Amino acid sequence: MADIIRRFGWRHLRSAPTAHVRHHRRGKLVHDGPGLSFWYRALTAALCEIPVDDREESMAFHARTADFQDVTVQAAVTYRIGEPSTAASRLDFSIDPDTGVWRGAPLEQISTLLTETAQQHALDVLARTPLAAALTDGVAAVRERMSDGLAGEPRLAATGISVVAVRVVALRPEPEVERALRTPAREQIQQEADRATYERRAVAVERERAIAENELASKIELARREEQLVEQRGTNTRREAEETAAADGVRAAAEAARTVRLAKAEAEAAREVGDARAHAQAAWLRVHAEVDASTLHALTGSRLAENLPRIDSLTVSPDVLTGLLAKLGRPQGEQE
C-alpha cells in the first residue's frame, strides 16, 4: 500500500520499488512507473497501484481419480504482473487518493483465476489416473499439466499475468483410504522389523553360543593344563622322593660303612687291649705263681696298708679267713 501524506489540501504519495503507480489527472497519464514519489491534488487525481513483485498463491482442492477415489491436491503457484498497464486496464487496481487503500479486490480476482485454471487442468489429469498411480507418480504429472495449462491460458496473458513457478505439494487420499493403503506397507515394515529382530536375536544367540563354546574350550584347556600340572608335580615329587631316598641310601650306606669300620676298629682295639691285658695278667699270674705264699701275704698286707685310708669296707671270704686262722694257730716251727 502506498504511503500518502496530507499537506494543506495537497497529497504526497510515496510508493515502494515493488509497486507500479499510474497517476491520471483529468484523463491524462501524468506519472507511470514503480517506486514513484510525487505531489497531487485528491480532487483531480486518479491513482492505480499494481504490485510487480513475485507473489505466491497457495491452493487446495478436491479431485476424483479414474477409480472414483477422492484426493486432495495441495499446490502453490508463484506469479508476477509483468504488464502493469494491461493489468490496470483489465482489473480494478485503483486506490483511494486520501488513504491509499484499494477500492476493489484485484488480488482476490487474480487468486480465483489462478485457482480455477490450475484446478481445471489438475482435475483433467487425475480423472484419467487411478488412485495408486496418482499417489505414486501423480505429483509430477499434475505439476507438469498445471504449468503447461497456466502458461498457455489466454486470459492470464490478456491480463498481463505471467506464471513464474508451479509446485504441487501433496496428493492425499481420504483418511480411511489412506489408512487402508498404509496397512500393507505397515505390515510389510512390521514384518521386516520382526525379521530384523529375529535375525538380531539369532545373531545374539549364535554369539552367545560361540562365547559359551569358547568359555567351555577355555575351561577344558585349563583343566588339561591343570592335569598336566598335577602330573608334573607328581613326577617332580616322585623324582624328589627318589632322589631323597637315593641320597638317604647313600648316606645310610656311608654311615653303615663308617659304623662298621668304627666297630671293626673298636673290636680290633679291644682285642689288642684284651690281649695285652691277658698277657699282662698272665705275666702277673706267672710272677705270683713263682712267689711263695708268705710273700704274697706280705704283698697283700702292704697293699692293704697303702690303701687303708681309702677303703670303706673289706670283705673277707670264709676260705681266706679259715686259711689265715689255720696259719695263725700253727706252731712257729710248723709255719715255716
Side-chain angles (χ1 to χ4, degrees):
M1 185 177 67
D3 184 13
I4 297 177
I5 301 175
R6 300 178 183 181
R7 289 290 186 275
F8 308 108
W10 288 82
R11 306 289 185 269
H12 182 271
L13 183 144
R14 183 177 58 190
S15 63
T18 57
H20 188 100
V21 176
R22 293 172 61 85
H23 175 211
H24 291 79
R25 185 173 57 197
R26 296 188 181 90
K28 294 181 180 181
L29 183 62
V30 181
H31 298 94
D32 184 16
L36 298 180
S37 178
F38 54 87
W39 291 91
Y40 65 92
R41 297 182 64 88
L43 295 178
T44 60
L47 301 174
C48 293
E49 185 182 20
I50 304 95
V52 293
D53 56 339
D54 290 350
R55 292 180 173 266
E56 185 169 301
E57 180 66 27
S58 299
M59 58 189 69
F61 51 87
H62 293 280
R64 179 168 293 183
T65 61
D67 48 1
F68 305 101
Q69 298 296 327
D70 291 335
V71 293
T72 300
V73 181
Q74 296 179 358
V77 176
T78 302
Y79 67 94
R80 179 190 306 119
I81 300 177
E83 298 178 6
S85 58
T86 304
S89 63
R90 299 296 298 269
L91 299 174
D92 185 10
F93 283 98
S94 62
I95 60 176
D96 190 296
D98 293 327
T99 61
V101 178
W102 277 317
R103 292 177 175 175
L107 296 182
E108 294 181 2
Q109 296 178 0
I110 295 175
S111 175
T112 302
L113 176 61
L114 291 174
T115 301
E116 291 179 352
T117 305
Q119 183 176 358
Q120 178 182 357
H121 294 288
L123 292 176
D124 188 21
V125 173
L126 293 175
R128 296 191 298 270
T129 306
L131 177 62
L135 296 178
T136 304
D137 302 323
V139 173
V142 170
R143 180 178 62 250
E144 183 179 359
R145 181 60 180 274
M146 289 174 60
S147 299
D148 295 341
L150 291 174
E153 179 64 27
R155 187 177 176 185
L156 294 177
T159 313
I161 300 174
S162 59
V163 176
V164 178
V166 176
R167 298 191 308 276
V168 177
V169 180
L171 287 175
R172 301 181 62 91
E174 293 183 347
E176 295 81 4
V177 177
E178 187 174 5
R179 283 194 296 268
L181 293 175
R182 287 179 178 178
T183 301
R186 288 183 177 181
E187 290 180 354
Q188 184 177 0
I189 294 173
Q190 186 63 39
Q191 291 176 1
E192 294 293 334
D194 294 341
R195 185 180 300 108
T197 302
Y198 296 150
E199 292 178 355
R200 185 168 58 253
R201 290 180 180 176
V203 171
V205 171
E206 183 65 21
R207 290 181 179 176
E208 290 179 358
R209 186 186 63 79
I211 293 173
E213 289 181 355
N214 292 335
E215 292 179 353
L216 182 59
S218 300
K219 290 181 180 179
I220 293 174
E221 182 65 20
L222 181 60
R224 188 177 63 81
R225 296 287 182 87
E226 289 181 353
E227 182 180 0
Q228 293 178 356
L229 179 61
V230 170
E231 183 178 357
Q232 186 64 36
R233 285 179 177 176
T235 302
N236 295 339
T237 303
R238 183 170 59 255
R239 185 177 300 173
E240 184 179 357
E242 291 175 356
E243 295 293 337
T244 303
D248 292 343
V250 173
R251 188 164 48 252
E255 189 67 24
R258 180 174 175 276
T259 303
V260 169
R261 289 195 299 271
L262 289 176
K264 288 182 178 180
E266 288 178 357
E268 186 67 26
R271 185 169 57 254
E272 292 179 358
V273 171
D275 291 342
R277 286 181 180 177
H279 289 298
Q281 189 69 23
W284 185 78
L285 290 175
R286 284 196 304 271
V287 172
H288 285 71
E290 295 174 357
V291 179
D292 56 358
S294 59
T295 303
L296 293 175
H297 290 163
L299 290 173
T300 302
S302 64
R303 293 292 297 275
L304 180 61
E306 291 176 0
N307 296 309
L308 186 60
R310 295 192 298 272
I311 297 175
D312 293 334
S313 61
L314 179 64
T315 304
V316 181
S317 63
D319 296 337
V320 176
L321 183 61
T322 303
L324 290 176
L325 291 177
K327 289 182 179 181
L328 291 176
R330 294 177 185 176
Q332 186 69 25
E334 296 178 0
Q335 295 179 356
E336 295 176 359

